[in-house]
Amino acid sequence: MRPNPVKSLPKQFNNPRAWHNFQGRTCSILAVGSYVPERVLANAHFEKIVNTSDEWITTRTGIKERRIAAKNESTSDLAAKAAWRAIKRANITPDQIDLIVLATITPDMPFPSTACLVQEKIGARRAVAFDIQAACSGFIFGLEVAQQFIMSRTYDTALVIGAEKLSSIVNWKDRNTCVLFGDGAGAAILRHRPAAHGLLTACMGSDGSRADLLCMPGGGSRCPATRESLAAGMHYLHMKDGKETFKSAITAMYTAAKEVLRRCELDITQIKCVIPHQANRRIIDAVAERLGARQEQLFINLHKYGNTSAASVAIALDDAVQSGRIQRGDLVLLIVFGAGLTWGAAVIEW
Ligand SMILES: CC(C)(COP(=O)(O)OP(=O)(O)OC[C@H]1O[C@@H](n2cnc3c(N)ncnc32)[C@H](O)[C@@H]1OP(=O)(O)O)[C@@H](O)C(=O)NCCC(=O)NCCS
């Protein structure tokens, strides 16, 4: 193991960032926050609208219920509420935020960015704000983008948000997809903390050759909204092949997790809490088994919220912190997978 070049940092593990960016500085998560809408939709509801059962959904996915936003509640509303909670816990004021990065596949509208709408809602007037789109992998992609600005000393304080109102793009007549998704938002405040490693490393990947596996075909420049496109259901989330998506998720999540552990010279047993994308309990268990992670290391809340895409690991991280599963100094492993295809993993010293 090479000694860490930044003298003030503890040396129990390798910090790849300290090596490659030793002119820069580390980036930590100061605080997290999340918000889920009040309305709870249990599996039993779907028995009334499609040919399914609570038993099928529970055994195939692990999901028991999900949250559904109100009609007048948009993605930026959920995001702003999650952001406020993180801002308060970080003990900062909105005018201290330099950068807002918001990950979503359900923006309030195609433009302007939902990040700009959140900026206005929380009064972060000094911040530069923009959206990124990496589907369910969005929160890790957002953390990675924001931390680059902090490490390079371009900005001091960043707000990263994963937020979705997936109920607005779900086809409620398609049993293959409507049971899987929910609404919610999670947020993190990023800043340098002296003598802390923070975000140790992140690995991200994409494979556009399989873009058709999960997509929303309508509403963009290829297929603008017309009466015909609406009638053909082009403006709904489409999943071409659930089984293929399932298999791809396991391989990509396992590979990404192994890569970040390798970079930090960490063994899975040294990780206090593994927070995987909350899409399907069977995917999580398969990834954990391959990694050699014990059930007690896993953090799972998908039975309460379903798959909330970019918000998924952000909400789970907040739940884990607020419930005391993660303490300062613990090592946390985040693992994501989503449409694109996209995937990623990150190691954080909390
Ligand atoms: C969708 C998923 C739960 C299905 O599980 P599975 O083990 O692949 O399902 P199986 O192949 O055993 O069963 C498929 C059958 O169940 C049916 N089915 C699908 N949804 C159903 C539902 N809600 N209720 C009852 N039956 C359902 C299908 O129509 C299919 O029926 P058929 O065999 O008659 O065509 C699983 O593939 C999955 O989670 N895929 C990943 C989805 C995902 O997470 N996407 C987002 C990634 S970020």
Side-chain angles (χ1 to χ4, degrees), residues 2-231:
R2 292 182 292 186
N4 286 313
V6 180
K7 294 280 177 287
S8 58
L9 293 173
K11 292 178 184 157
Q12 324 76 310
F13 40 75
N14 188 38
N15 182 344
R17 291 227 157 104
W19 267 104
H20 296 302
N21 299 289
F22 60 90
Q23 298 293 343
R25 57 181 172 180
T26 59
C27 171
S28 288
I29 298 182
L30 279 195
V32 279
S34 66
Y35 173 79
V36 288
E38 274 170 34
R39 186 173 165 215
V40 178
L41 210 60
N43 288 347
H45 173 84
F46 293 91
E47 295 176 352
K48 294 182 228 153
I49 58 170
V50 288
N51 182 13
T52 191
S53 64
D54 173 35
E55 199 261 333
W56 192 95
I57 302 169
T58 305
T59 54
R60 291 291 172 183
T61 71
I63 300 165
K64 293 298 285 181
E65 56 189 41
R66 69 288 290 143
R67 299 300 181 97
I68 303 294
K71 271 210 170 89
N72 62 354
E73 218 174 8
S74 63
T75 297
S76 69
D77 294 318
L78 309 181
K81 285 179 179 160
W84 262 121
R85 290 181 178 169
I87 288 166
K88 283 193 183 137
R89 288 188 189 126
N91 202 18
I92 62 164
T93 53
D95 59 1
Q96 290 177 282
I97 298 169
D98 302 301
L99 168 70
I100 301 173
V101 180
L102 187 144
T104 188
I105 56 167
T106 47
D108 282 24
M109 36 191 156
F111 71 90
S113 71
T114 304
C116 282
L117 305 178
V118 172
Q119 176 198 19
E120 173 60 17
K121 282 182 181 164
I122 63 172
R125 297 214 163 75
R126 284 183 49 252
V128 56
F130 56 86
D131 286 0
I132 60 159
Q133 213 273 54
C136 303
S137 306
F139 189 65
I140 284 189
F141 281 45
L143 287 179
E144 182 68 352
V145 167
Q147 75 85 31
Q148 300 287 340
F149 286 104
I150 289 173
M151 287 193 70
S152 65
R153 298 172 192 266
T154 308
Y155 296 127
D156 289 327
T157 308
L159 166 62
V160 178
I161 308 171
E164 302 285 9
K165 185 177 177 180
L166 292 170
S167 59
S168 66
I169 59 164
V170 156
N171 180 352
W172 294 94
K173 291 181 181 156
D174 176 14
R175 70 174 183 173
N176 289 296
T177 53
C178 70
V179 301
L180 302 176
F181 300 99
D183 302 335
I189 302 289
L190 272 56
R191 206 183 243 182
H192 167 65
R193 273 198 311 135
H197 289 274
L199 298 159
L200 278 157
T201 192
C203 123
M204 301 182 290
S206 312
D207 179 3
S209 72
R210 292 190 291 165
D212 61 337
L213 267 186
L214 275 163
C215 66
M216 188 168 105
S221 58
R222 191 190 291 185
C223 173
T226 59
R227 206 166 287 171
E228 292 73 31
S229 73
L230 280 174

